[in-house]
Amino acid sequence: MLEREAELQRVDALLDAASRRRGSVVVVEGAPGIGKSELLGAVRRHAEGRDFGVLGARGSEFEADMAFGVARQLLEPMLRAASRAERRRLLSGVARMGAQALGVESGEPPADPFAAIHGLYWLCANRAERGPLVLVVDDAQWVDDPSLAWLGYLGRRTRDLALLLVLGLRSGDPRLERDELERLLGDDGVDLIAPAPLSAVAVAQVVRAQLDANADEEFCAACSELTRGNPLFVRELLAAARAEGLPARGASVETLGRIAPPAVGPSVLARLSRMGPDLVALARAVAVLGSGTEFMVAAELAELDPAVAELTADRLAAAQIFAPARPLEFFHPLIAGAVLQDLAPGARRLAHRRAASLVDRAGSLSRVAAHLLACGPAGDPWVVRRLRDAAGEALDRGAPGVAAGYLRRALAEPPHPAERSPLLLALGTSEWRAGQPDAIAHLEQALDSAGEDPGTWFDASWLLALAFIVTDRAERAVAVFERLRAGVPDSDAGLALTLEASIALVGLGNERTAGVALRRAEALRDRLPAVTDPPLHLLIALANYAARTNRSSEAQELTERALAYKPYPPPRELAMAMMYVLTMVERYDALRRLSDDLIGAARRQGAIQELIVFSVLRSWASAECGELADAEADARWALEHATGLSRTQALSAMLRVLVERDALDQAEHLLDRDADTRGLHSGEVARFLGVRGRLRAAQGRQTEALADLLECGERNERLGFVMLGGGPWRVDAALVHAALGNATEARRLAEEQLELARAFALPRALGVSLRACGLVEGGARGLRLLADAVRTLERSTSPLELARALTDYGAALRRSGQRGAARAQLERGLDLAHHLGAGRIAGQARAELVAAGAKPRRDAVTGRDALTAGELRVARLAAEGLTNREVAQALFITTMTAKSHLSRIYRKLGITRRNQLAQALAGRLGDATEMPSATAPVIS
Ligand SMILES: Nc1ncnc2c1ncn2[C@@H]1O[C@H](COP(=O)(O)OP(=O)(O)OP(=O)(O)O)[C@@H](O)[C@H]1O
Ligand SMILES: [Mg+2]
């Protein structure tokens, strides 16, 4: 290899860094034949010389649709060579999900394609823990999408691994234009190496080494010019000159110009055609079968006797068309491409169909499928069957996008009419999991052509409904179930009821459909007493309806029945509905337990979409229980990962926490960045407006606050919420009216709210309503109402609301001149607010105490309250006994990040050992000095 010293020096430096756990990504990019693969080979040798583990793979055009094909090439040999103990270490934690994607480990299919990627990343990270590692992927432009997504994910996380990722990329290939590749190349940390053409001196060296030691200057200069220093073209030109018997003299230059083709293809094909039909047949067979072809299969496809095929292969190798190796391989991918292109399209499709049958005997489904993708449709049931099986395998391995490709091809075959609808269903499901937009259309088509038994279509219907819900098209979600219900005979009472309850549940979540859904719910409510074994869907729908229409005891009773339902936890779509109900009936403890369980399961499966929704709901529960730091940690995580409507959800949760923490600028900043919700009709929007209204009020922008809160109210009304929904909006609206000087309207709303809350009779709702009424009312009655609010909230599980009421009560007492009593209430309020990290209430209480003549202490922020949301997230998991690596896996961060978080956490908590974490987080460590507990005196 000539003239690559500088490049290798750069690589050496990167290898050095990687061995010190400062890994990175190198991309070797250039034109076909410029010498990328040669350079990658040298990189491998250098790495081996430094005791790196070296894993290599190569993309191929033919295998570009095989899920995780490249990942398997890279990692399978390593796993196979590992001892049992070693293998256990490599596959520890979520790395097992990665092995599943490679098909070397069985298990429950991942719920989210991201799980496989995450798992494969950890498989490498685990390996790099054992010693420095180089991954060399040549022809990365042809890497299959799932492997590429993984390599990108890995590439962005090499910085604290002992790992160098080296990619070879052929420029100009259309498959370079994939977003994931562009993103990878665009990363700042990526080193780009572009091998230069060989100089005239180097070309002369090659000519003299390979053609004729006595080649003259003129001939060598002509070679350099004709090939522009491209080493592959030099080789090909020399092979052609040799075949022509051309002397390496200046006199041959003219002839040389004639035989030098513009590219490699024509010259190879010309040489090949002169070598006889057997050679052409075998070359074509190997071109169709792809690299790493099993010898016997190639011989059979070429219709050659094995012995003849052996010798034919040797002759092809001698002509530098094949590599001198078994399994059969072309000397260079460009040659393989030229031979394949030379086959007419029809002949190529037929060859792939035959190849599929031959390869099927060897048992690799994805290889069979790759051939089937390349052959023409023929209405062949075998083809449909194999593609369907391959799709099932791809799904199990966490590659739904690849599965969708197989299924689309199966549908084009076309299948027998009876098979169409299950195939469409599988296609829609795969596309949904892969986040592809055609999912909805295909699920709809599947349901359109669904046959007799609606029961089998129930799951698909929910999937479709969810797809409509997250895109704010609830009316279509409802229609899905309506139609399904129409096909169910009344005699099938269980299914009929489940479907009707689903219709109501889905409809209740959106303003456009709520009206009808409420009437349906009412009808179902009438029927409930006659139902012996009500399905969970029904219990949850009716609990939601009851809470919405202000009948709390009925809602509570139904919720208890739903909580007792087996299996627990309920399936995803119901879990969310159940969580909403739990908030409405103030069962925050049960809500946190349920969300913990659901989050645990979703985390184990790497189901990121579910994690987002459950985290948001847990954030609401934590905020309600006064665990603001926990609430912020969950909301922030969700906000980092969510899109669409779940982003609005996460944003609401986040804003809510930020207002309580008095981080109003941060909240405003988030609003600046986030989409507006005006055209939407989902119930999420009402909730969002309620929270934004609160923020505006806190900012002193009362007019805007009022507009948001009143709109929240209107939307709540359309959704059938009598009082709750986007929070008890009348409470905030009454206070804003009061601030704006609209005393009458303020009083009207507050009274209305109080009356509703008295009927609802749950302590939180009642307490906050009493407080609002007391504030608006003022005077002696106001004081009585505020005192009542405090007493009521003391019975609730909402310490945050209690702190607020205490502070307002204390302030009212001060205004009425009762300074001593005022201070007692304010001290309690401040103490509690401070402990919860509720900066806004604490600030108010402190100011009131000053006004009441006290000197409240400003506490240094230490202990648990000093932890950032990210640190708290890490601390909680570490306290549960997870290792750094497990924490990193669960939170989708690197081990190094987890480690550095932990050292800051120790410092802030004033601890030195991991086993002190749980205690410190519970606030029991160093109580008197560092962390004010609920009873410690805060006033100095
Ligand atoms: N620096 C070099 N000195 C001498 N010969 C070289 C050099 N680099 C490459 N070659 C020779 O040129 C030929 C093409 O090189 P290589 O296969 O590395 O190209 P490539 O860039 O990987 O092409 P492709 O884009 O088709 O993969 C090989 O036969 C190789 O041995
Ligand atoms: Mg190459």
Side-chain angles (χ1 to χ4, degrees):
M1 191 177 64
L2 304 168
E3 298 185 330
R4 295 290 183 249
E5 294 77 12
E7 285 84 351
L8 280 172
Q9 241 168 32
R10 271 173 72 190
V11 172
D12 278 339
L14 295 173
L15 285 170
D16 270 343
S19 63
R20 285 180 277 114
R21 290 175 153 279
R22 310 287 304 164
S24 59
V25 180
V26 200
V27 174
V28 178
E29 186 175 4
I34 199 69
K36 302 176 294 292
S37 301
E38 191 77 22
L39 184 58
L40 294 188
V43 170
R44 295 178 65 141
R45 288 188 296 279
H46 274 232
E48 270 155 12
R50 287 156 177 262
D51 281 337
F52 272 67
V54 178
L55 304 176
R58 182 174 191 181
S60 88
E61 209 163 3
F62 172 67
E63 292 177 13
D65 287 309
M66 292 189 195
F68 291 115
V70 160
R72 194 171 327 133
Q73 266 188 62
L74 275 173
L75 301 171
E76 202 179 8
M78 164 182 95
L79 286 172
R80 214 173 317 118
S83 68
R84 194 174 309 162
E86 182 76 23
R87 188 181 159 102
R88 207 171 33 243
R89 263 196 300 273
L90 287 172
L91 296 187
S92 73
V94 292
R96 230 182 53 81
M97 293 194 291
Q100 206 177 314
L102 304 181
V104 299
E105 185 89 359
S106 57
E108 200 182 327
D112 194 298
F114 177 70
I117 288 166
H118 190 54
L120 284 168
Y121 158 73
W122 277 100
L123 183 49
C124 281
N126 288 349
R127 168 61 186 78
E129 285 292 312
R130 326 273 310 147
L133 186 65
V134 175
L135 301 186
V136 182
V137 182
D138 199 1
D139 289 323
Q141 71 278 4
W142 292 324
V143 169
D144 58 282
D145 287 341
S147 295
L148 181 62
W150 160 60
L151 289 171
Y153 187 76
L154 175 67
R156 287 185 289 281
R157 284 165 183 72
T158 46
R159 240 143 279 172
D160 54 21
L161 294 180
L163 184 148
L164 185 66
L165 174 60
V166 189
L167 303 176
L169 272 183
R170 181 195 279 182
S171 42
D173 192 280
R175 288 186 71 96
L176 279 180
E177 277 155 30
R178 286 180 286 172
D179 288 348
E180 185 65 49
L181 252 183
E182 283 174 0
R183 176 152 172 232
L184 207 159
L185 292 177
D187 197 296
D188 289 341
V190 170
D191 272 84
L192 260 181
I193 293 182
L198 298 180
S199 68
V201 177
V203 172
Q205 251 175 295
V206 176
V207 175
R208 290 183 180 128
Q210 290 183 9
L211 185 68
D212 182 349
N214 298 314
D216 72 12
E217 279 303 315
E218 205 182 330
F219 185 86
C220 292
C223 286
S224 163
E225 228 163 85
L226 285 166
T227 59
R228 297 209 167 77
N230 181 305
L232 181 70
F233 296 175
V234 174
R235 268 183 179 259
E236 277 306 313
L237 185 60
L238 298 182
R242 205 178 299 118
E244 296 285 324
L246 212 61
R249 295 277 158 266
S252 314
V253 167
E254 211 191 303
T255 325
L256 193 66
R258 238 182 309 109
I259 62 170
V264 179
S267 115
V268 171
L269 293 174
R271 277 194 288 135
L272 185 61
S273 64
R274 270 181 269 135
M275 294 166 84
D278 284 2
L279 281 88
V280 173
L282 190 61
R284 287 181 168 173
V286 173
V288 165
L289 287 163
S291 61
T293 299
E294 210 188 304
F295 180 83
M296 287 304 285
V297 175
E300 202 172 341
L301 187 61
E303 295 178 352
L304 292 178
D305 176 79
V308 176
E310 287 285 7
L311 298 177
T312 308
D314 286 349
R315 286 177 60 205
L316 282 163
Q320 292 200 346
I321 290 173
F322 277 7
R326 301 288 183 278
L328 296 176
E329 189 106 41
F330 276 91
F331 178 78
H332 196 272
L334 276 177
I335 301 177
V339 173
L340 195 63
Q341 286 304 315
D342 191 42
L343 268 172
R348 203 182 324 153
R349 278 153 63 129
L350 289 175
H352 276 299
R353 178 63 185 80
R354 282 192 57 217
S357 300
L358 292 175
V359 170
D360 194 33
R361 280 186 253 144
S364 159
L365 254 181
S366 59
R367 202 160 255 279
V368 174
H371 285 297
L372 293 178
L373 288 181
C375 75
D380 182 343
W382 180 82
V383 172
V384 173
R385 217 162 41 239
R386 293 320 266 155
L387 285 167
R388 196 192 49 210
D389 295 347
E393 185 186 85
L395 268 183
D396 284 352
R397 293 179 182 181
V402 171
Y406 294 159
L407 292 163
R408 271 192 290 272
R409 174 64 186 78
L411 280 159
E413 184 62 12
H416 187 273
E419 279 177 301
R420 213 178 118 71
S421 158
L423 280 171
L424 279 166
L425 174 61
L427 175 57
T429 310
S430 307
E431 287 173 330
W432 167 258
R433 283 215 223 160
Q436 294 176 1
D438 289 340
I440 290 187
H442 288 133
L443 286 168
E444 276 189 306
Q445 286 173 30
L447 287 168
D448 276 343
S449 52
E452 273 81 87
D453 177 21
T456 54
W457 298 100
F458 186 64
D459 291 346
S461 302
W462 261 107
L463 204 58
L464 185 55
L466 285 175
F468 282 133
I469 288 170
V470 301
T471 45
D472 201 41
R473 287 178 288 176
E475 65 285 358
R476 302 191 60 181
V478 169
V480 169
F481 289 114
E482 297 269 15
R483 209 177 50 192
L484 210 55
R485 171 65 187 92
V488 177
D490 288 338
S491 57
D492 193 349
L495 182 58
L497 263 179
T498 305
L499 283 171
E500 282 164 34
S502 300
I503 295 171
L505 256 184
V506 166
L508 284 173
N510 193 291
E511 292 167 35
R512 290 220 189 100
T513 47
V516 179
L518 288 163
R519 284 196 292 282
R520 280 198 168 264
E522 181 61 38
L524 285 168
R525 178 174 180 244
D526 291 341
R527 284 166 56 195
L528 182 68
V531 181
T532 35
D533 233 341
L536 185 56
H537 291 75
L538 183 61
L539 293 174
I540 293 178
L542 289 182
N544 185 315
Y545 175 59
R548 206 176 273 243
T549 46
N550 225 36
R551 288 175 311 221
S552 65
S553 40
E554 186 180 329
Q556 279 173 302
E557 192 235 292
L558 289 163
T559 307
E560 289 312 322
R561 286 169 75 184
L563 278 173
Y565 207 90
K566 296 278 175 315
Y568 170 93
R572 176 198 154 132
E573 75 274 4
L574 282 183
M576 286 190 293
M578 178 121 126
M579 288 164 103
Y580 281 117
V581 169
L582 289 172
T583 349
M584 289 194 276
V585 298
E586 304 187 6
R587 286 293 309 274
Y588 308 117
D589 49 342
L591 177 53
R592 286 182 83 189
R593 219 172 315 120
L594 177 61
S595 44
D596 282 345
D597 293 339
L598 291 165
I599 285 173
R603 214 187 253 152
R604 279 190 295 282
Q605 290 185 31
I608 197 161
Q609 291 310 324
E610 299 181 11
L611 265 178
I612 291 169
V613 179
F614 299 152
S615 298
V616 170
L617 287 160
R618 186 167 69 177
S619 169
W620 282 103
S622 299
E624 212 45 70
C625 299
E627 305 280 357
L628 285 179
D630 285 358
E632 183 177 344
D634 275 336
R636 205 175 273 284
W637 186 86
L639 199 58
E640 278 160 19
H641 293 85
T643 54
L645 210 55
S646 43
R647 190 170 173 81
T648 306
Q649 254 183 323
L651 183 60
S652 303
M654 191 67 205
L655 290 180
R656 173 177 183 194
V657 176
L658 290 176
V659 171
E660 296 296 358
R661 287 191 162 252
D662 212 19
L664 303 185
D665 290 347
Q666 260 189 67
E668 184 62 39
H669 179 71
L670 282 179
L671 273 184
D672 273 354
R673 286 186 8 209
D674 271 281
D676 101 90
T677 44
R678 269 173 296 186
L680 303 177
H681 301 85
S682 159
E684 290 307 330
V685 177
R687 191 187 282 270
F688 170 73
L689 288 169
V691 178
R692 192 174 66 184
R694 267 192 179 193
L695 169 64
R696 293 294 178 237
Q699 288 170 321
R701 293 157 68 170
Q702 305 293 357
T703 318
E704 289 162 82
L706 191 60
D708 274 351
L709 292 166
L710 293 183
E711 188 183 337
C712 168
E714 280 162 28
R715 285 180 184 256
N716 271 345
E717 196 162 313
R718 287 199 284 276
L719 289 162
F721 285 110
V722 170
M723 178 182 65
L724 299 167
W729 63 275
R730 287 184 192 81
V731 166
D732 294 297
L735 296 175
V736 171
H737 267 308
L740 285 168
N742 313 330
T744 325
E745 192 53 19
R747 190 163 295 147
R748 189 187 70 75
L749 273 176
E751 291 293 347
E752 188 179 308
Q753 168 71 26
L754 184 55
E755 198 178 318
L756 291 169
R758 285 201 200 282
F760 196 63
L762 288 180
R764 181 193 182 275
L766 182 56
V768 301
S769 309
L770 284 164
R771 172 183 152 261
C773 225
L775 284 173
V776 169
E777 192 76 16
R781 176 160 185 255
L783 275 179
R784 272 199 310 280
L785 287 165
L786 285 169
D788 202 5
V790 168
R791 272 193 305 276
T792 308
L793 288 166
E794 278 167 342
R795 286 189 287 118
S796 77
T797 44
S798 299
L800 195 63
E801 294 306 331
L802 176 58
R804 208 187 319 274
L806 282 166
T807 304
D808 285 336
Y809 183 37
L813 284 169
R814 181 190 64 75
R815 283 194 299 273
S816 75
Q818 308 177 49
R819 289 170 57 146
R823 278 161 64 160
Q825 301 300 333
L826 289 168
E827 279 162 18
R828 276 181 73 203
L830 173 57
D831 193 15
L832 188 54
H834 181 86
H835 186 66
L836 302 175
R840 193 165 172 75
I841 302 174
Q844 252 169 324
R846 210 174 271 122
E848 285 292 341
L849 274 168
V850 173
K855 273 192 262 150
R857 190 179 79 198
R858 256 186 197 283
D859 295 274
V861 181
T862 54
R864 193 197 138 123
D865 296 345
L867 301 186
T868 64
E871 288 163 356
L872 187 70
R873 226 147 48 199
V874 170
R876 281 174 60 95
L877 292 179
E880 282 172 27
L882 269 62
T883 64
N884 287 357
R885 188 182 310 184
E886 288 163 346
V887 168
Q889 292 182 356
L891 297 177
F892 307 105
I893 57 179
T894 65
T895 315
M896 200 65 118
T897 310
K899 217 186 269 173
S900 67
H901 269 323
L902 267 175
S903 63
R904 270 196 311 278
I905 290 164
Y906 285 9
R907 208 167 50 240
K908 287 187 181 176
L909 294 179
I911 60 175
T912 50
R913 273 171 294 120
R914 217 180 179 87
N915 59 12
Q916 297 170 306
L917 262 175
Q919 230 189 351
L921 287 178
R924 283 193 298 270
L925 206 76
D927 239 0
T929 51
E930 287 180 69
M931 263 177 294
S933 75
T935 52
V938 183
I939 316 297
S940 62

